[in-house]
Amino acid sequence: DYEIVVSLCDDDRPTIAAAQAIADVHPGRIKVIIRHYENPMKALQLNNALAVSRGDMVGVFDAEDDVAPGLLVHVKTLFEQTSADVVQGGVQLMNLGDRPSKWFQVHNVLEYFSWYTSRMGYQAKLGFVPLGGNTVFIRRPLLEAAGGWPLTLTEDCALGVLLSTRF
């Protein structure tokens, strides 16, 4: 059982049209919320989605993500079989860039690969995990106790630090 909440800025007309077309095919399963933001940031959109969602677990995906089939079943199993309050899935960036001027993208892909295959496990054992953007699943009561996502450019990392230090 799941619902999808798509949180969009009011000036993103093509994405609004695409999301609404899919929501129309799946009535009651997909909610599209559209807001105007004077200073748009992902944390505001996530917090608005949190306010209208109803699930016990909250997960985050970005619009460009490819989601592995069966991922939600695996996440549900992890929550049921462990005492975890947060599940951070691995993120594998795939955009290597298409020009020499995008050389940094290759380094970013390698950094994420290194983080999710080694460093993150070490951080988790220490009980301090700065979360990484998407494929994050959090028990709703914990997320609400934390006040939702911190209003910062690095809302994912900031939330992980907040949860690791206060909760």
Side-chain angles (χ1 to χ4, degrees):
D1 185 29
Y2 64 92
E3 73 176 331
I4 298 170
V5 178
V6 181
S7 182
L8 301 169
C9 296
D10 64 351
D11 62 349
D12 189 355
R13 301 275 181 235
T15 307
I16 291 170
Q20 195 58 57
I22 296 297
D24 291 346
V25 174
H26 303 281
R29 175 70 72 180
I30 301 173
K31 293 179 189 173
V32 179
I33 59 171
I34 302 161
R35 301 272 195 283
H36 175 75
Y37 301 95
E38 288 299 320
N39 298 306
M41 63 179 358
K42 185 176 175 181
L44 291 171
Q45 290 179 260
L46 290 171
N47 287 328
N48 280 323
L50 178 63
V52 302
S53 68
R54 63 181 196 274
D56 297 328
M57 309 291 178
V58 177
V60 178
F61 297 101
D62 290 340
E64 68 276 6
D65 291 349
D66 288 331
V67 180
L71 176 65
L72 296 179
V73 172
H74 291 289
V75 170
K76 180 181 181 219
T77 301
L78 282 168
F79 275 118
E80 289 174 352
Q81 293 181 353
T82 70
S83 60
D85 292 311
V86 179
V87 171
Q88 167 75 69
V91 175
Q92 182 60 50
L93 297 180
M94 300 305 293
N95 189 353
L96 295 174
D98 56 0
R99 322 184 272 286
S101 64
K102 300 291 184 177
W103 62 268
F104 60 91
Q105 289 177 271
V106 172
H107 295 279
N108 199 16
V109 168
L110 292 172
E111 178 184 15
Y112 266 71
F113 178 77
S114 175
W115 171 255
Y116 286 101
T117 57
S118 68
R119 185 83 182 155
M120 192 169 132
Y122 172 73
Q123 296 276 146
K125 286 179 187 174
L126 295 177
F128 185 83
V129 179
L131 299 171
N134 54 34
T135 321
V136 174
F137 299 86
I138 305 168
R139 292 184 189 274
R140 177 186 212 87
L142 178 60
L143 184 56
E144 289 174 341
W149 283 269
L151 298 180
T152 178
L153 180 62
T154 57
E155 79 291 330
D156 48 359
C157 181
L159 179 63
V161 170
L162 175 67
L163 296 176
S164 294
T165 58
R166 289 200 194 149
F167 297 94

